[in-house]
Amino acid sequence: MRFASLGSGSKGNATLLETEQSCILIDCGFSIKETERRMARLGRAPSDLTAILVTHEHSDHIKGVLPLARKYKMPVYCSYGTGEHGQLRLSHHWRHLELGTAIDIGGISVMPVAVPHDAREPCQFVFSYRKKTFGLLTDLGSITPFVREHYRNCDALLLECNHDVTMLANGPYPYSLKQRVGGDWGHLNNQQAASLLEDAEVARLQHVVIAHLSEKNNTPALARMAIEPMLVNSDALLSADQEAGFDWLDIA
């Protein structure tokens, strides 16, 4: 199993997960043309995809989902609440995900995990394949006991470090947006992300990728400073870029 990013941040998000049998796209916040360009950079095309999974309906995650599904005729899996966005639930491409219930997609076990975020029925995902586990965790404002339990035993982790608390407080956002981003239903700050690893089996982690960094309220260096002390192997720590994403990472 391996994973890569087409891009991560407020301007668009998309992640690829691949095995010998299947290739899944998680979210698509880019246009069809841009998605095709970014996938080509990773040696893939939308025609290679088995399915699209959607975490929630914010535009930086769902913008290109239905256009891509229509053009390439593939299923889209998401919660009922997320499916209420636009015409998604009415499309024959839509497949219902029940949060907390694992399903099999192309031989990969997919667990949709409910998270606190200001969307209709948001989730994140834990993927299992041949005794290896990949956790994708972005777009949540706080870490619940339920989340901690599901992300405790991952071999690789894509983890939101959206903002630094001080930078957000002193930054250019209006007060209402600062409250939203920093609230329990907003986005994880660096210290919250680090706290997730307190209960995790960190020696097992082959890769930890810092993701969804705010361009105005965080820096990769500050996020790394928070996360690195929690890890046994600091070489496992990488960061996802808005433009470049990151290249394929194998889970051995």
Side-chain angles (χ1 to χ4, degrees), residues 11-222:
K11 296 177 183 176
N13 297 272
T15 306
L16 285 173
L17 179 69
E18 182 178 85
T19 68
E20 301 93 330
Q21 303 176 40
S22 58
C23 186
I24 295 173
L25 180 66
I26 305 103
D27 290 337
C28 185
F30 306 105
S31 67
I32 292 178
K33 183 178 180 180
E34 186 65 11
T35 300
E36 291 170 338
R37 182 185 74 82
R38 290 173 182 248
M39 287 190 71
R41 185 180 64 209
L42 294 165
R44 291 292 174 267
S47 57
D48 298 323
L49 294 173
T50 307
I52 305 174
L53 299 178
V54 185
T55 59
H56 65 295
E57 72 275 12
H58 291 165
S59 62
D60 57 324
H61 293 263
I62 204 171
K63 175 183 176 181
V65 168
L66 197 51
L68 197 71
R70 286 170 173 161
K71 180 175 179 178
Y72 290 95
K73 299 178 174 56
M74 71 185 79
V76 176
Y77 293 82
C78 67
S79 69
Y80 191 96
T82 300
E84 289 287 279
H85 175 77
Q87 300 297 311
L88 182 55
R89 192 174 62 81
L90 302 178
S91 168
H92 70 275
H93 298 287
W94 180 68
R95 306 288 186 275
H96 177 229
L97 278 181
E98 184 175 347
L99 304 194
T101 300
I103 65 167
D104 182 280
I105 300 178
I108 302 171
S109 176
V110 180
M111 171 61 77
V113 180
V115 295
H117 191 52
D118 55 352
R120 293 191 180 190
E121 194 180 359
C123 70
Q124 295 294 309
F125 296 105
V126 176
F127 303 91
S128 299
Y129 179 75
R130 294 184 179 175
K131 299 183 180 179
K132 297 298 179 183
T133 301
F134 167 58
L136 187 152
L137 186 63
T138 68
D139 294 80
L140 69 165
S142 53
I143 298 172
T144 64
F146 187 74
V147 169
R148 287 188 184 276
E149 182 61 31
H150 278 85
Y151 289 84
R152 192 184 303 273
N153 301 304
C154 292
D155 297 286
L157 182 62
L158 182 67
L159 178 61
E160 175 173 64
C161 290
N162 176 259
H163 62 279
D164 171 76
V165 172
T166 302
M167 283 189 70
L168 178 66
N170 297 329
Y173 285 2
Y175 178 76
S176 60
L177 184 54
K178 290 179 181 180
Q179 292 294 103
R180 173 191 170 268
V181 170
D184 287 344
W185 300 84
H187 292 274
L188 293 184
N189 63 50
N190 296 337
Q191 285 66 40
Q192 286 174 304
S195 76
L196 177 77
L197 300 176
E198 292 175 353
D199 299 323
E201 193 178 333
V202 291
R204 180 172 168 177
L205 286 166
Q206 300 175 31
H207 308 289
V208 177
V209 183
I210 299 166
H212 217 303
L213 274 76
S214 169
E215 294 178 344
K216 295 181 178 178
N217 301 306
N218 208 358
T219 68
L222 286 171

